[in-house]
């Protein structure tokens, strides 16, 4: 049974709003008035990508019998706010904490790949939507495509705190396929 505690829902919502806000601020060229106009679009594109990424980790962890809950990391949210002031976003708003007796390398890799795969799927959904939606919804879909492609690629960087390191330790071939897919999507979203 998947359950979300009140604290977890609060942490997810705070993280989602802050992350969407800092992306809106950066996308606006650091213009607060334009950022407020962009906020609904970033809530759908960035916020949805962030929330579904974290929920994917939680669902797979629960599937393997572990307790999993998202927890906000205040320092990471502050870091996102500070970096957005300088025109870029480094966001580490929190993570799904997983507890259990023993999480082996295979299971940890499968839990870790769930988030980036969710972003890849969302990127593809937004890409398909962008080909059929009228403007300005098309513009929102293009933003969703670009942001979710980048979120997947960023999370697949194989450094210790990101999903990529756990996926790479589990299965380098799966990591390579996922990272190459995310890279191709991110690269094509720039054009």
């Amino acid at each position: 049974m998947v359950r979300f505690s009140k604290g977890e829902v609060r942490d997810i919502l705070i993280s989602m709003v802050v992350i969407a806000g800092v992306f809106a601020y950066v996308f606006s060229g650091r213009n607060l008035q334009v950022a407020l106009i962009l906020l609904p679009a970033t809530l759908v594109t960035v916020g949805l990508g962030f929330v579904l990424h974290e929920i994917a980790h939680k669902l797979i962890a629960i599937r393997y019998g572990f307790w999993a809950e998202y927890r906000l990391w205040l320092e990471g949210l502050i870091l996102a706010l500070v970096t957005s002031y300088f025109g870029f976003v480094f966001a580490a708003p929190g993570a799904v904490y997983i507890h259990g007796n023993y999480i082996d390398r295979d299971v940890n890799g499968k839990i870790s790949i769930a988030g980036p795969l969710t972003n890849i799927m969302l990127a593809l959904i937004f890409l398909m939507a962008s080909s059929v939606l009228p403007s300005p919804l098309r513009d929102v879909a293009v933003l969703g495509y670009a942001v979710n492609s980048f979120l997947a690629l960023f999370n697949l960087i194989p450094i210790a705190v990101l999903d990529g390191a756990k996926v790479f330790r589990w299965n380098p071939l799966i990591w390579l396929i996922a990272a190459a897919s995310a890279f191709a999507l991110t690269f094509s979203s720039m054009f």
Side-chain angles (χ1 to χ4, degrees):
M1 182 77 152
V2 178
R3 294 177 188 219
F4 294 89
S5 70
K6 289 179 185 177
E8 183 177 23
V9 171
R10 178 202 64 224
D11 285 1
I12 288 171
L13 290 175
I14 290 170
S15 297
M16 178 180 172
V17 169
V18 171
I19 294 306
V22 297
F23 271 92
Y25 183 68
V26 169
F27 291 154
S28 73
R30 298 183 293 167
N31 179 321
L32 196 52
Q33 290 176 334
V34 175
L36 291 173
I37 294 167
L38 287 175
L39 187 59
T42 58
L43 279 168
V44 170
T45 58
V46 179
L48 187 65
F50 160 74
V51 169
L52 293 179
H53 175 109
E54 296 300 334
I55 289 174
H57 289 313
K58 178 180 175 109
L59 293 176
I60 300 301
I62 289 170
R63 179 173 171 240
Y64 282 101
F66 297 104
W67 174 88
E69 186 164 300
Y70 178 82
R71 285 288 165 234
L72 177 144
W73 184 45
L74 184 58
E75 293 83 355
L77 286 177
I78 292 169
L79 180 63
L81 290 167
V82 170
T83 58
S84 71
Y85 177 78
F86 295 103
F88 69 97
V89 179
F90 184 85
V96 171
Y97 288 83
I98 301 164
H99 298 280
N101 291 334
Y102 176 74
I103 303 174
D104 67 31
R105 184 179 295 187
D106 289 352
V107 170
N108 201 19
K110 291 171 185 173
I111 293 168
S112 297
I113 194 69
L117 287 180
T118 298
N119 292 119
I120 289 170
M121 288 187 290
L122 280 170
L124 293 171
I125 290 168
F126 278 120
L127 177 61
M128 289 185 286
S130 73
S131 67
V132 297
L133 292 172
S135 193
L137 292 177
R138 176 183 16 242
D139 299 331
V140 173
V142 168
L143 179 64
Y145 167 56
V147 166
N148 280 282
S149 298
F150 177 76
L151 288 174
L153 181 62
F154 178 79
N155 277 283
L156 284 166
I157 296 171
I159 60 173
V161 297
L162 297 176
D163 297 327
K166 294 170 251 179
V167 174
F168 186 83
R169 278 193 300 271
W170 161 53
N171 190 319
L173 181 60
I174 289 177
W175 173 83
L176 180 63
I177 292 167
S181 299
F183 177 81
L185 290 168
T186 302
F187 184 76
S188 70
S189 74
M190 294 178 191
F191 302 102

